[in-house]
Amino acid sequence: MATTSPFLSLLLFSLFFFSFSSSATTFSTTNRRIKKVEYLKLPLLHKDTFPSNPSQSLSSDIRRLNTLYSSLLHRSAKLPLTSGASSGSGQYFVDLRLGTPPQRLLLVADTGSDLVWVTCSACRSCTRGRGNSAFLARHSSTYFPYHCYDKKCNLVPNPKGVACNHTRQHSPCRYEYSYSDKSETKGFFSTETTTLNASSGSSVKFKKLSFGCSFEASGPSITGPSFNGAQGVMGLGRGSISLASQLGRRFGNKFSYCLMDYTLSPTPTSYLLIGRSNTVNGSKMSYTPMINNPFTSTFYYIGIESVYIEDVKLPIRPSVWAIDELGNGGTVMDSGTTLTFLAEPAYRRIVRAFKRLVKLPKADDKTMGFDLCVNVSGVVRPSFPKMSFKLSGDSVFSPPPGNYFIDTAVDVKCLALQPLTAPSGFSVIGNLMQQGFVFEFDRDRSRIGFSRHGCGKP
Ligand SMILES: *[C@@H]1O[C@H](CO)[C@@H](O)[C@H](O)[C@H]1NC(C)=O
Ligand SMILES: *[C@@H]1O[C@H](CO)[C@@H](O)[C@H](O)[C@H]1NC(C)=O
Ligand SMILES: *[C@@H]1O[C@H](CO)[C@@H](O)[C@H](O)[C@H]1NC(C)=O
Ligand SMILES: *[C@@H]1O[C@H](CO)[C@@H](O)[C@H](O)[C@H]1NC(C)=O
């Protein structure tokens, strides 16, 4: 993520995480009955079904994937080479109320990055609304940029060549958070009050949310159509500056979500819950341990042990899924990436197996960029082979075929997988594959739970 010496800044992240953890949070509720607040409840919104221009969404997704690689980039100058593919792009958004009085902002919910940032405006006499959706920092009485000398400033990558003048009063902490596709947000690392809805129906004020007040954003993955009118990103990663880390400690250090199938009509509402799992009864959850990669503190890695198609185990060497001694490889759960990207050798096996089993006619149109597309014209209920992933911790993730055979055009369904070819990359379980499951990120117990029951609750 950093442009300068990311390795160093990652080290700093983990060091400061420990030294700051005790002072990081201040909570108060509007009704002062703090103990009644069990968890925070943020509706998850989906703005985009399948956009009119698939190639646009495709590139946005590939670019989005690239952002995942940001913190691993120091070991390889090469970006992952992903061939042109097409898919529906889908991001999930969260409403965040920031400032005093609160201003509403729509952020991409992203488990694949850490920084929470919003588009900021320094305008003194603006009104928010159409055409001006930025956060108006000067309209908030609780907005403060950190001083560049503040130790919190070490938590974010700082721009090169900007020395901090200790004695100057107005010397804000500048951050420069760049993604590997060269998308970048720059601005002031700041603190603000955020107001969140709690389970009890009251609202909770979190007084010291550290976030990036972005005055400059560039690059495809965080501007333009792929960003879908969002005003920033809510980083939910494992790093210390993510929302999950900053708020989570107060709420048992866990969060959960259920990404609803947005092709359903009407689209069901789902929630990002901070502090609790969507399932009322946790008993039905399957768990897989979070795996640590010593080279990055951001991503939620899980371990894939094998892949089954129609209950037949594919011959894939376990090393295909492993994190190597340089931190390459492995598999990441990411809410901010749409498609699923799998290590090349595994991908080839899976595609081959599907090609053998799917008897439907191939679709003519090859521009989709997927290796397997079928023509379902005239087929009332096309059925597809079952795929399941055996995960570490003796659990099995069996997504319904609708999570991996997706509509890309009228009467065309494609296998929504992409090969990962760069040796420095890692596999990604994207948000389409996660649909209809509750995922619980239990950070204290270092495990990820999932269940097909509980979506739509509470
Ligand atoms: C730091 O700021 C002070 C006060 O504005 C100024 O007098 C001083 O020259 C600055 N030092 C540097 C190295 O820029
Ligand atoms: C908070 O809850 C209220 C009442 O349930 C609702 O109207 C509002 O939209 C919610 N706000 C956010 C940001 O979720
Ligand atoms: C929880 O589990 C119990 C027993 O398995 C069941 O009777 C109950 O309906 C469940 N509650 C919910 C909300 O799913
Ligand atoms: C699908 O099949 C129908 C009927 O055979 C044909 O008319 C149509 O062009 C095909 N579409 C694609 C994308 O292959």
Side-chain angles (χ1 to χ4, degrees):
M1 70 192 66
T3 49
T4 57
S5 184
F7 182 58
L8 184 63
S9 67
L10 282 167
L11 270 179
L12 288 173
F13 270 119
S14 38
L15 290 176
F16 280 100
F17 174 79
F18 293 112
S19 51
F20 287 160
S21 55
S22 56
S23 62
T25 58
T26 311
F27 267 97
S28 73
T29 58
T30 45
N31 57 9
R32 298 202 171 274
R33 284 178 302 170
I34 297 173
K35 293 214 170 76
K36 283 271 160 96
V37 178
E38 295 173 298
Y39 56 94
L40 305 174
K41 186 176 164 187
L42 290 73
L44 273 173
L45 316 160
H46 196 282
K47 285 182 71 181
D48 186 18
T49 53
F50 290 103
S52 47
N53 181 352
S55 63
Q56 211 164 46
S57 60
L58 152 68
S59 51
S60 78
D61 198 57
I62 303 278
R63 281 163 187 152
R64 175 62 196 79
L65 176 77
N66 288 344
T67 67
L68 275 168
Y69 288 81
S70 48
S71 76
L72 297 173
L73 204 63
H74 61 285
R75 282 172 290 103
S76 165
K78 268 196 199 157
L79 294 177
L81 297 170
T82 33
S83 63
S86 171
S87 92
S89 163
Q91 297 289 8
Y92 290 85
F93 299 90
V94 196
D95 220 341
L96 185 75
R97 284 171 292 167
L98 199 63
T100 311
Q103 300 176 34
R104 287 182 89 138
L105 298 147
L106 200 61
L107 308 184
V108 172
D110 186 17
T111 59
S113 65
D114 288 329
L115 182 69
V116 180
W117 65 269
V118 305
T119 306
C120 274
S121 162
C123 182
R124 271 185 205 283
S125 53
C126 294
T127 44
R128 295 183 79 236
R130 281 179 181 279
N132 186 6
S133 56
F135 174 66
L136 303 174
R138 284 187 161 137
H139 289 223
S140 170
S141 59
T142 44
Y143 171 78
F144 295 103
Y146 288 118
H147 191 275
C148 61
Y149 195 49
D150 195 309
K151 58 189 173 180
K152 293 249 180 185
C153 198
N154 293 316
L155 295 172
V156 283
N158 312 120
K160 264 189 249 177
V162 180
C164 181
N165 186 335
H166 301 184
T167 54
R168 246 176 79 191
Q169 216 182 339
H170 299 291
S171 205
C173 171
R174 290 174 192 278
Y175 78 89
E176 225 174 63
Y177 199 81
S178 52
Y179 300 95
S180 64
D181 70 337
K182 306 276 194 293
S183 290
E184 198 172 37
T185 152
K186 295 181 190 177
F188 298 154
F189 194 51
S190 310
T191 173
E192 229 336 340
T193 295
T194 179
T195 312
L196 298 150
N197 276 354
S199 51
S200 55
S202 62
S203 49
V204 186
K205 279 193 199 307
F206 180 76
K207 283 192 176 167
K208 291 205 171 84
L209 179 75
S210 298
F211 75 107
C213 188
S214 173
F215 289 104
E216 208 184 316
S218 59
S221 64
I222 56 169
T223 59
S226 67
F227 211 42
N228 236 322
Q231 285 110 35
V233 173
M234 177 183 283
L236 292 165
R238 287 181 92 174
S240 63
I241 55 170
S242 80
L243 189 96
S245 299
Q246 293 190 64
L247 271 69
R249 286 175 214 122
R250 176 66 180 70
F251 295 98
N253 220 1
K254 68 160 80 157
F255 69 91
S256 67
Y257 58 70
C258 167
L259 307 178
M260 297 303 263
D261 181 348
Y262 55 82
T263 60
L264 295 179
S265 179
T267 309
T269 310
S270 51
Y271 296 90
L272 169 66
L273 300 183
I274 294 172
R276 211 182 67 155
S277 137
N278 290 54
T279 45
V280 180
N281 292 332
S283 56
K284 281 186 179 144
M285 283 256 177
S286 301
Y287 290 97
T288 190
M290 286 179 193
I291 291 177
N292 294 317
N293 182 342
F295 290 90
T296 167
S297 58
T298 298
F299 308 117
Y300 296 100
Y301 284 91
I302 56 164
I304 295 179
E305 287 179 354
S306 39
V307 180
Y308 291 78
I309 293 187
E310 289 294 286
D311 298 322
V312 176
K313 183 177 170 180
L314 300 185
I316 299 167
R317 279 175 294 117
S319 62
V320 166
W321 304 113
I323 298 175
D324 70 18
E325 67 282 0
L326 296 170
N328 298 316
T331 305
V332 160
M333 294 289 307
D334 183 28
S335 68
T337 294
T338 305
L339 296 177
T340 288
F341 291 77
L342 298 174
E344 170 100 43
Y347 173 82
R348 292 289 156 216
R349 289 277 179 197
I350 292 168
V351 171
R352 207 180 305 159
F354 275 120
K355 279 188 171 165
R356 203 175 56 237
L357 292 167
V358 176
K359 303 294 185 203
L360 293 159
K362 304 285 175 288
D364 297 336
D365 190 358
K366 286 286 171 204
T367 61
M368 293 301 173
F370 290 111
D371 282 322
L372 176 59
C373 291
V374 291
N375 188 338
V376 293
S377 144
V379 187
V380 182
R381 276 177 174 270
S383 80
F384 294 96
K386 197 178 95 189
M387 171 167 63
S388 48
F389 298 89
K390 178 152 188 307
L391 306 178
S392 314
D394 221 12
S395 57
V396 177
F397 175 53
S398 303
N403 285 16
Y404 47 86
F405 271 96
I406 62 162
D407 298 301
T408 55
V410 177
D411 289 337
V412 177
K413 282 187 187 286
C414 296
L415 179 62
L417 299 177
Q418 286 292 295
L420 190 78
T421 49
S424 61
F426 45 80
S427 300
V428 176
I429 305 294
N431 65 35
L432 273 173
M433 197 66 89
Q434 299 176 35
Q435 280 188 9
F437 284 80
V438 172
F439 280 95
E440 177 195 88
F441 293 72
D442 187 341
R443 295 151 46 99
D444 277 349
R445 299 175 77 169
S446 247
R447 62 182 193 176
I448 294 176
F450 56 92
S451 168
R452 281 204 79 178
H453 305 278
C455 263
K457 293 177 196 161

